[in-house]
Amino acid sequence: YKLLGKKAQGATATVYEAFDLHTHKNIALKIYNKVIDDNTGGREVLTFLHEAMIASKLDHPNIVKIHDAGVDNEHAYIAMDYIKGYPMSERLRRKQFLTSAESLRIMHAVLDALVAAHQQGVIHGDIKPANIMYDKRKKLYILTDFGAANNGSSLLGNEKRIIGTPAYMSPEQLSGNKMDGRSDLFSLAVTIYHLLSGTQLFTGEKLSELKKNVLLQTVELDSLTVPDMIKQVLAKALQKKTYQRFADASQMLQAVIYCEQRLKQQQVKP
């Protein structure tokens, strides 16, 4: 791979645009920030490569495609599709908040991806604006970064570890309890609220305060300037108890499709 330019940098890894010398295509190359040597634990490398092990099993147009992963020249890497576009977090930065129609399109795309992932037993675990990319060329919303994904694998050990972004987590994830696909539905609803309003649904100066708010705070959606039917979808996905949410991503997707149809009917009325 030939590096072309840095695209993003995080605490764990840096993402570059790169040129694949074998396929002659541009790809995104995610490189682990630490050099792999005797001081780097094998567990750290395995945790980083976990994303590739999970996501490579998923083949869906709304899920980022993994091409290759491994360790080369003392660096762990993951090669994936290069998405010519931007993350939804960029919309927040520009204060370009979603319309009702856009919010439904994003939910539709992400839920399509989640139906496929959940069918393979994969829970994404870190749905947030930064992990939903818009591909300007394909005009698709794509779910990325399966670094916090869980498929019941014991490769990373069995101890309780909270991996993800706390402000978007479900109550059960933030508490370190067992999760299923309904946790992703909660995180998606928190994400859509943020993208619609520009404000985070749950906040806290300390993690303990944030956790308390996620677990106990009553969700108010009255401030959202969207039709009541969209608020109802979000409200159901945001229930504290998993059994009060949609049964699965497929059921929430059907509710979103119904909202899309209703919105189109309302727009064509004279």
Side-chain angles (χ1 to χ4, degrees), residues 2 8 25 29 43 65 84 90 101 130 143 154 173 179 185 198 218 236 242 262:
K2 180 182 178 182
K25 291 181 179 180
L29 196 64
R43 178 184 182 77
K65 189 172 182 59
K84 196 173 180 63
E90 181 65 16
L143 188 58
S154 60
Q173 184 178 10
M179 301 185 304
L185 307 186
T218 301
K236 188 166 179 63
T242 55
R262 285 285 308 277

Side-chain angles (χ1 to χ4, degrees), residues 9-200:
Q9 182 156 7
T12 305
T14 303
V15 178
Y16 297 88
E17 182 182 356
F19 184 71
D20 188 325
L21 298 172
H22 294 295
T23 65
H24 299 282
K25 291 181 179 180
N26 283 19
I27 54 115
L29 196 64
K30 191 174 188 177
I31 301 178
Y32 188 51
N33 286 337
K34 287 186 180 180
V35 173
I36 309 302
D37 56 24
D38 293 338
N39 296 319
T40 309
R43 178 184 182 77
E44 292 180 54
V45 179
L46 190 61
T47 300
F48 173 74
L49 295 176
H50 168 75
E51 175 183 357
M53 288 185 279
I54 294 287
S56 61
K57 299 173 184 175
L58 306 174
D59 185 15
H60 191 278
N62 298 110
I63 296 176
V64 67
K65 189 172 182 59
I66 304 292
H67 299 288
D68 181 28
V71 179
D72 185 50
N73 291 329
E74 300 181 327
H75 286 93
Y77 68 90
I78 300 172
M80 63 193 86
D81 273 352
Y82 177 71
I83 301 170
K84 196 173 180 63
Y86 55 86
M88 288 298 101
S89 53
E90 181 65 16
R91 292 283 297 267
L92 289 171
R93 192 184 69 79
R94 295 177 185 174
K95 299 190 186 308
Q96 296 174 345
F97 307 132
L98 301 184
T99 63
S100 296
E102 281 181 304
S103 72
L104 291 171
R105 285 197 294 271
I106 293 173
M107 282 194 279
H108 191 145
V110 174
L111 287 165
D112 251 342
L114 290 177
V115 168
H118 294 170
Q119 284 174 348
Q120 296 295 319
V122 174
I123 302 161
H124 186 278
D126 196 19
I127 294 176
K128 60 182 178 180
N131 289 341
I132 301 172
M133 293 283 296
Y134 180 66
D135 188 323
K136 291 193 288 189
R137 186 169 51 86
K138 296 179 180 178
K139 293 182 167 49
L140 283 176
Y141 294 99
I142 298 174
L143 188 58
T144 68
D145 199 340
F146 281 73
N150 182 343
N151 69 342
S153 168
S154 60
L155 282 171
L156 299 178
N158 296 316
E159 76 277 19
K160 276 191 177 181
R161 292 196 305 151
I162 298 174
I163 305 173
T165 309
Y168 300 94
M169 284 184 183
S170 67
E172 61 271 24
Q173 184 178 10
L174 201 49
S175 299
N177 295 330
K178 187 177 180 181
M179 301 185 304
D180 60 23
R182 292 170 293 185
S183 178
D184 281 341
L185 307 186
F186 186 98
S187 298
L188 175 58
V190 175
T191 295
I192 295 299
Y193 179 92
H194 194 182
L195 290 169
L196 281 167
S197 67
T199 58
Q200 289 195 306

